[in-house]
Amino acid sequence: MKLKHLSLSVMVMGATFGLMSTQAVASGYQFGSQNVSGQGTAHANGAEANDPSTIFANPAGLSRLEGTQFSGGLTFVVPHSEYTDNGSTNFANQPTGGGNGGSFAPSVVVAPNFYLSHKLNDKINLGVGVFVPYGAKLDYDSGWAGRYALQNVDLKSFNINPSMSFKLDDRHAFGFGLSAQYLDATLQQAADVRTGIAQLAAKKLGLNPMNPAIIGGAGIQGQLNALGVSGDGTARISGDDWGFGWNIGYMFTLNENTRFGLAYRSAIKQKLEGTADWDFSNVKGNLAALGVPNLQAYLSGTKHPDTSATVDVTTPETASANFFHQLNPKWAVMGDVTWVANSQMKDIVIKQATVNGVSQGDITIHQNWRDTWRVSLGANYQYNDAWLFRGGVAWEQSPLRSDNERHPAIPDSDRLWLSLGANYKINKQSSVDFAYSFINFANANVNYTDGCSPSGNSPTTGAACTGNGGTVKGSYKTYLQLIGLQYNYRF
């Protein structure tokens, strides 16, 4: 009997998508705002390099900073997302029932950042940045229509990025940084116990347990109804890991008003290790009457010890090209083009531990993601000695190629940024940055099918696997607001 696969499907599928999810702001993985001064121009300011947050965009920009400088900011993310179910089904092709997920997006999420720079001499500047590269927090109602794909996910991360720049001459500067990145994920998913039991009952009757028409038929379902079988199982996983990478940058200063930048940030490979706890106490009915040996013991948890699983995650490499031009004492314009190697995420293979001598089948998620582009344009306006105003627009591409790849943990789509910002100079040493962004997501349909059965077999190959086998079918409408506040100080 492979009922263990039923519970492990919750753990492994949840881990995979939870770790990939970044619905917070940017396309694919990335959290979209690592500094407030950049947010004001929709992050078109990679070649501006006017404060230590250039460590994230281009470490070569450190060469432009004098003395010792500090920037610390908070970005408040205010999301709004609505889901409408359009006929989600379980493995037996029957409606899952349930609602649209309720208010699954949090009311507000806060992401901090911190940057420090120091000019060592005329050639070398040093710095360190701490920022949030990835993040997600979604909490659907426990009984919503897509519960077999996801109930909730909470992904936290931070990156420590010591950096340095070397100024070759008045025109050429180079930068280099190292990254220590931490990821921590907690998530929960429902297990389709009723469909799994129907498969076991079909096998007992000598019928094909992989045929949805049979296990969803009136005979087996009627028997389960007569025995009062109802309720879902749940499982919860938490996992974390450190990973390491690097970034480089180059800045070319054409003249005192114009400069260009190139930057690259490496991929970071991490192996998240965690434990899973599951609970079938909500499953009701006269299960003993089914005559399946040890079924009640498995569902009661006496034969479900905590187990482990590992997920290899590669956060994608990025490359950027940008420019900055001071038109006159009042106006400056800037732009950025960034490429993200999301195609690295085509397959995710999850390794599962052997439990009580039973080898669990690995699971492979075929994402078929594509590389993506982000294009942004921005401008500064120096109103007076105290006030500098900013504005910007950006377009970001989603890595998803089709509705069949859109999962409730990452209901991603192309998006448009509109940003406004300002810098207020308090005195010669201190200033404050403000920023507001409205990010509109294109309306997105989801038609995601899990290619596994609840009892642990692939419906096409029969190979051991984990999953609930259902299809989440619906649509999302999403927009986000970002409110940023940053304090800058020059020692």
Side-chain angles (χ1 to χ4, degrees):
M1 188 171 106
K2 296 182 178 177
L3 203 57
K4 288 183 183 179
H5 288 297
L6 179 70
S7 56
L8 278 176
S9 70
V10 181
M11 176 183 69
V12 181
M13 291 292 289
T16 301
F17 290 108
L19 297 176
M20 295 195 318
S21 174
T22 53
Q23 179 62 12
V25 179
S27 69
Y29 285 91
Q30 298 177 317
F31 184 84
S33 183
Q34 278 74 33
N35 61 83
V36 177
S37 54
Q39 182 194 328
T41 61
H43 295 286
N45 71 330
E48 184 179 16
N50 67 333
D51 64 46
S53 65
T54 188
I55 289 170
F56 174 80
N58 188 338
L62 283 169
S63 63
R64 296 184 50 82
L65 304 182
E66 297 294 329
T68 300
Q69 300 189 30
F70 161 82
S71 291
L74 295 173
T75 300
F76 298 84
V77 183
V78 185
H80 176 85
S81 189
E82 297 177 0
Y83 171 80
T84 301
D85 193 68
N86 295 324
S88 295
T89 58
N90 61 17
F91 178 76
N93 202 31
Q94 295 178 321
T96 57
N100 293 324
S103 300
F104 52 88
S107 56
V108 63
V109 176
V110 182
N113 59 74
F114 164 92
Y115 299 93
L116 182 67
S117 69
H118 174 69
K119 184 172 183 177
L120 189 64
N121 53 47
D122 290 341
K123 296 291 186 180
I124 298 175
N125 284 46
L126 305 176
V128 63
V130 181
F131 50 85
V132 175
Y134 312 107
K137 187 175 178 63
L138 297 173
D139 189 4
Y140 295 89
D141 288 345
S142 60
W144 81 293
R147 61 193 177 276
Y148 300 132
L150 182 74
Q151 287 183 327
N152 57 67
V153 59
D154 187 3
L155 171 66
K156 301 180 181 70
S157 70
F158 64 87
N159 188 310
I160 304 173
N161 192 185
S163 305
M164 68 172 294
S165 69
F166 177 77
K167 188 174 182 180
L168 185 63
D169 54 36
D170 289 340
R171 289 197 170 187
H172 304 280
F174 299 88
F176 177 76
L178 298 174
S179 285
Q181 179 172 283
Y182 178 75
L183 292 178
D184 178 89
T186 302
L187 42 96
Q188 181 171 299
Q189 185 181 8
D192 189 2
V193 173
R194 183 181 166 96
T195 305
I197 292 174
Q199 285 187 299
L200 295 171
K203 184 180 294 186
K204 177 186 174 186
L205 295 172
L207 303 175
N208 182 2
M210 302 305 295
N211 189 334
I214 291 177
I215 64 172
I220 295 179
Q221 294 298 330
Q223 182 183 7
L224 295 181
N225 290 336
L227 296 173
V229 178
S230 64
D232 294 324
T234 60
R236 187 176 180 86
I237 183 173
S238 59
D240 63 349
D241 188 40
W242 283 91
F244 303 92
W246 53 276
N247 62 306
I248 58 174
Y250 166 71
M251 189 163 289
F252 173 71
T253 302
L254 180 65
N255 53 49
E256 63 180 7
N257 294 321
T258 306
R259 51 191 173 270
F260 302 89
L262 296 173
Y264 172 85
R265 187 170 287 274
S266 75
I268 297 180
K269 296 183 178 181
Q270 295 178 252
K271 182 186 290 290
L272 275 72
E273 299 181 350
T275 59
D277 299 306
W278 51 85
D279 179 13
F280 293 103
S281 61
N282 193 45
V283 179
K284 309 298 181 183
N286 185 10
L287 300 174
L290 290 172
V292 179
N294 295 325
L295 175 59
Q296 187 64 50
Y298 278 104
L299 294 180
S300 68
T302 58
K303 293 191 178 181
H304 276 287
D306 289 350
T307 187
S308 62
T310 60
V311 181
D312 291 326
V313 176
T314 300
T315 56
E317 59 187 322
T318 64
S320 301
N322 34 64
F323 77 92
F324 177 88
H325 179 62
Q326 190 75 41
L327 292 170
N328 54 50
K330 291 289 187 180
W331 285 97
V333 294
M334 63 204 76
D336 178 272
V337 176
T338 296
W339 167 80
V340 184
N342 283 308
S343 62
Q344 296 171 341
M345 293 308 305
K346 284 187 177 180
D347 289 340
I348 296 181
V349 179
I350 301 95
K351 303 294 183 180
Q352 305 177 50
T354 297
V355 182
N356 290 341
V358 178
S359 178
Q360 308 296 328
D362 295 340
I363 184 169
T364 300
I365 308 300
H366 299 284
Q367 291 300 320
N368 195 31
W369 280 16
R370 63 186 174 188
D371 294 346
T372 60
W373 293 91
R374 184 183 194 276
V375 180
S376 56
L377 293 171
N380 291 344
Y381 176 70
Q382 190 72 53
Y383 178 72
N384 56 31
D385 290 342
W387 284 99
L388 172 72
F389 296 108
R390 301 187 175 99
V393 60
W395 172 81
E396 280 188 294
Q397 185 181 28
S398 169
L400 303 180
R401 297 177 187 268
S402 72
D403 298 343
N404 297 333
E405 299 161 6
R406 186 169 287 111
H407 188 273
I410 182 168
D412 199 16
S413 62
D414 295 348
R415 68 213 60 194
L416 181 68
W417 286 59
L418 298 174
S419 293
L420 295 172
N423 174 271
Y424 176 70
K425 185 178 294 184
I426 301 171
N427 52 46
K428 290 182 178 180
Q429 285 77 39
S430 302
S431 68
V432 180
D433 282 291
F434 311 92
Y436 172 82
S437 299
F438 183 86
I439 307 172
N440 188 58
F441 289 62
N443 291 344
N445 295 320
V446 56
N447 189 31
Y448 187 89
T449 299
D450 174 19
C452 193
S453 78
S455 64
N457 285 325
S458 166
T460 56
T461 67
C465 62
T466 60
N468 280 308
T471 296
V472 181
K473 188 174 183 180
S475 60
Y476 284 89
K477 294 182 178 180
T478 302
Y479 65 83
L480 300 172
Q481 299 178 84
L482 271 63
I483 302 168
L485 177 65
Q486 177 176 302
Y487 176 71
N488 312 294
Y489 189 83
R490 299 186 179 192
F491 295 90

